[in-house]
Amino acid sequence: MTTDGIRLVAPDAGPPEGSVRVTVASSGICGSDLHMAAMGPSWAILGHEFSGTLDDGTPVAVLPVVHCGACDRCLAGEVQQCRNALGAMYGVSLDGGLADEAWVDPACAVPLPADLPVDHANLVEPLAVALHGLNRAGVVDGMRVLVLGDGPVGLCTVAAAGHLGAQVDLEGHRANRTAAGERLGASTGIRTDYDVVLDAAGTQGSLDRATELARPGGTLGILGTYWSPVALGLGFQMKELTLLPSFTYGHHHGDLEFAEATRILAAVPDLADALVTHHFALDDAAEAFRVAADRDADPIKVVVHP
Ligand SMILES: [Zn+2]
Ligand SMILES: [Zn+2]
């Protein structure tokens, strides 16, 4: 066993049985990748936001979670609650997309609409996260929605909420990101009394802000990851808010949200341009990680292309 600086290299066992090869076209770096990289070498190749081409030429985005299909939650149709999913995530526990090729379960290779460039489809994963959060929070046409947090998931949430017909406002803290949000249809004039506030920042401050700006009886959708525990304040109870955390993506009204995200990405061609600020070759992946973590470089989404 050796270490190449990014992961520990186990003896090559060959591709898992029944899997299909994806020749990777694009692989996005996510905040959670930075957290995992900071924890030290990983057993698996990182990269859970990736797209590529199957051997038969089909362009796909990779749904990075292998749902077991057999547990009670999978059988109930709530695959995002699969009891066995954490042990089966490409880029987390299984080799992911920061590579020339990846081997994935055929059910995870989601075909792209004809008008979506495969190079953009690394954004399907964060967009599916956003869509699932919106669906969980019950966002529909005409609602007043506030997105807190101007990172990639926050900006994907703006785009997906607009696609669902909501009036979307965005509160962020970095000028180039809020400009991207405005380009995607958000207003940055913050009001109060929102039907739904989506916390895509994942901090105590953003949760307090969501509680403050939601209307009585409103809903807080939780998309950001609370890496530290948070507390709910008195206002949360007095407004009788509903808290709806979301994790990854599943089905909504029978549709696979990950597949719906491919269609939204095709319908919002500005999204890739607004979000992807940096491109790197795979050989420069270490530099890509450095830039992704560098506030001075002001990255939104950093993408690696083999
Ligand atoms: Zn991610
Ligand atoms: Zn399951």
Side-chain angles (χ1 to χ4, degrees):
M1 189 185 304
T2 61
T3 171
D4 62 5
I6 294 175
R7 65 160 181 155
L8 301 171
V9 180
D12 188 4
E17 216 182 301
S19 58
V20 292
R21 186 204 333 248
V22 177
T23 301
V24 178
S26 70
S27 190
I29 296 178
C30 172
S32 64
D33 291 322
L34 300 178
H35 276 268
M36 285 187 281
M39 291 191 289
S42 151
W43 281 109
I45 295 173
L46 294 179
H48 58 272
E49 305 177 359
F50 64 106
S51 63
T53 308
L54 301 182
D55 287 355
D56 68 2
T58 306
V60 297
V62 174
L63 193 165
V65 190
V66 187
H67 301 121
C68 80
C71 74
D72 59 329
R73 301 316 298 155
C74 281
L75 293 174
E78 304 286 357
V79 293
Q80 74 283 0
Q81 298 167 6
C82 174
R83 293 178 188 275
N84 302 308
L86 269 184
M89 290 183 74
Y90 299 113
V92 179
S93 50
L94 303 170
D95 283 348
L98 281 163
D100 292 310
E101 61 180 41
W103 291 85
V104 306
D105 187 291
C108 294
V110 178
L112 302 182
D115 47 353
L116 176 59
V118 67
D119 261 356
H120 294 178
N122 58 284
L123 292 174
V124 171
E125 200 275 347
L127 190 55
V129 166
L131 180 64
H132 180 59
L134 290 162
N135 286 337
R136 281 273 289 160
V139 171
V140 292
D141 199 12
M143 276 187 175
R144 287 162 55 105
V145 168
L146 172 65
V147 177
L148 297 177
D150 52 11
V153 169
L155 295 173
C156 283
T157 305
V158 166
H163 187 81
L164 294 175
Q167 304 168 44
V168 194
D169 293 345
L170 170 68
E171 184 167 82
H173 298 289
R174 291 162 77 174
N176 72 328
R177 296 176 172 213
T178 48
E182 285 177 323
R183 180 173 169 188
L184 295 169
S187 162
T188 50
I190 302 304
R191 299 166 289 178
T192 56
D193 256 9
Y194 291 96
D195 299 309
V196 176
V197 182
L198 295 136
D199 180 7
T203 65
Q204 181 69 59
S206 60
L207 180 60
D208 292 345
R209 186 76 171 141
T211 303
E212 176 192 343
L213 294 175
R215 67 164 167 79
T219 297
L220 308 187
I222 308 302
L223 282 149
T225 301
Y226 297 122
W227 293 96
S228 305
V230 290
L232 294 170
L234 179 62
F236 178 78
Q237 180 182 19
M238 291 180 68
K239 285 187 174 178
E240 294 195 322
L241 299 176
T242 297
L243 189 64
L244 283 170
S246 64
F247 182 68
T248 68
Y249 18 72
H251 297 87
H252 183 66
H253 295 162
D255 279 340
L256 185 68
E257 289 169 318
F258 204 88
E260 178 63 13
T262 68
R263 296 188 281 271
I264 296 175
L265 189 58
V268 188
D270 265 4
L271 191 61
D273 231 32
L275 258 71
V276 180
T277 50
H278 295 76
H279 297 269
F280 288 93
L282 183 60
D283 284 345
D284 300 325
E287 176 64 5
F289 268 73
R290 192 195 65 72
V291 167
D294 180 3
R295 280 187 84 91
D296 293 334
D298 218 0
I300 301 179
K301 179 59 79 181
V302 175
V303 176
V304 173
H305 304 271

